Amino acid sequence: MVKSGRTIKLRLYPNTDQADQFLAMSQEYQRLANIVSQWIFDHGFQLSWLKINHRLYKLFRQESELNSQMIQSVFRTVSAHYKTVRKQMKQHTYAYKNEENKWIRVPRDLTWLVKPIQFRRPQADLVRQSNYSFVDKMQQVSMTTLGKRIKLGFTNKGFEKYFIDDWKLGTAKLVHNRGKWFLHIGITKEVSDFDTKDNPQIVGIDRGLRFLATAFDNEGKTLFFDGKKILRKREKFLDIRRQLQSKGTRSAQKRLKQLAQRENRWMSDVNHRIAKTLVALYGSHTLFVLEDLTNVTFNTDDLPKSLRNSHRSWAFFQLESFLTYKAQAIQSIVVKVNPAFTSQRCPRCGLVEKTNRHHDTHEYWCKKCQYRCNDDRLGAMNIKMLGQDWLRGIKRPKIKKLITVG
């Protein structure tokens, strides 16, 4: 059995006094989080909860109105943020060209940070039962504040099933967004393991810019998720962003922030729909195979220069994350493979040749056996092949470049 996790978002309905209590508590939580962050930065990035607790707990208890449990939550919240940043920095090395014009990659760690992580928005992490609980037959939620506990109504529209199935509710985050209060609750459930012995279906998925995802399955069928509409939408966002940046006023800066949030919500919705479609189409007991895109830069030569940097920032990792947890919930699995040569290998004769791929026509044409194919489809085919290698027990399947004969 494995644990499947996700987050449900409940809308809260506090009255004016309760909203003021929420704001005071979340601002105090934010203040302490920034103090802890500064301490970690000043003390060699010690992320041990025990060390942080030993140095700061008594001080916080004396000067803060937060209860003991929430102070402990502050320590865990800040430590988790630094661990996440450390993982991201490890994945994305610093790259530069040396005097010989060769790319050099330098690993990074937290010492590369020039200032401590800042917690810019009021927030609060609440422990189940200790800081929040559901009462009155799940009609209200009881929550901790700086003063006494309060009860208030909420809506769980769309999330009802998570309260009646075997889902376990965990730590929740109190979030204030555009004048509304939400409770984001992490939930987990034990699901059956993916079984590799029952001849699972294999689906290779190539992610890119022209097509956000191209899937190739056991039956030789291909599914394309067109990125043209996405490109046009991002172009509109870029135009609005430029207009606001040229103004430079305070109201323009506020609009820019709102625009960024809107674009992020839109990208999340697109990735959710793609992942949901893939899971619904291929069903349970499917091996979804993706390329490991860590440190991979997409070719944007066929895009306007003004859009190249913007389009590179599409949330490809987010799609991977959504697909992973959605697949796990139906006893499927996502596996990542080495991306080397997946767009250069001929699936018919095995020749690996970079010049066989023609970016201008988006076509692959093998010089040796004359096999022709859409280049995105070809990538998905080769990724699927690596998935077959993974099923045969090869831990890190990779395409090896063959020497051209004759």
Side-chain angles (χ1 to χ4, degrees), residues 51-115:
K51 290 182 179 179
I52 300 172
N53 182 71
H54 176 71
R55 293 297 184 93
L56 298 177
Y57 176 74
K58 289 184 178 180
L59 175 65
F60 284 180
R61 286 293 288 154
Q62 292 173 358
E63 69 170 30
S64 176
E65 295 182 70
L66 285 184
N67 63 32
S68 175
Q69 181 65 65
M70 292 197 69
I71 288 176
Q72 303 291 350
S73 295
V74 171
F75 299 152
R76 290 189 173 91
T77 296
V78 181
S79 179
H81 271 67
Y82 272 95
K83 289 177 181 178
T84 299
V85 171
R86 182 175 63 185
K87 182 178 179 180
Q88 292 171 343
M89 297 179 80
K90 185 177 180 180
Q91 290 175 340
H92 301 283
T93 57
Y94 175 72
Y96 68 94
K97 285 187 177 181
N98 61 12
E99 296 177 353
E100 299 175 354
N101 204 35
K102 293 183 178 180
W103 282 103
I104 304 297
R105 294 192 177 275
V106 180
R108 300 190 300 166
D109 55 26
L110 290 175
T111 60
W112 283 61
L113 294 177
V114 296
K115 60 181 180 180

Side-chain angles (χ1 to χ4, degrees), residues 159-175:
F159 300 111
E160 298 90 344
K161 64 179 181 180
Y162 298 115
F163 290 93
I164 58 177
D165 288 347
D166 297 328
W167 291 93
K168 182 179 180 180
L169 278 64
T171 299
K173 184 180 291 293
L174 181 64
V175 177

Side-chain angles (χ1 to χ4, degrees), residues 126-191:
L126 310 174
V127 175
R128 169 82 161 144
Q129 301 300 350
S130 295
N131 302 132
Y132 83 95
S133 59
F134 294 97
V135 295
D136 299 334
K137 297 181 179 180
M138 299 295 293
Q139 297 302 308
Q140 287 190 311
V141 59
S142 172
M143 297 176 61
T144 295
T145 65
L146 295 182
K148 62 181 181 179
R149 289 179 73 97
I150 61 175
K151 294 181 181 180
L152 68 157
F154 67 95
T155 179
N156 62 349
K157 185 177 181 181
F159 300 111
E160 298 90 344
K161 64 179 181 180
Y162 298 115
F163 290 93
I164 58 177
D165 288 347
D166 297 328
W167 291 93
K168 182 179 180 180
L169 278 64
T171 299
K173 184 180 291 293
L174 181 64
V175 177
H176 187 221
N177 185 23
R178 295 189 293 178
K180 300 175 183 178
W181 289 95
F182 299 88
L183 198 62
H184 295 184
I185 306 175
I187 60 174
T188 57
K189 179 181 180 181
E190 288 193 343
V191 297

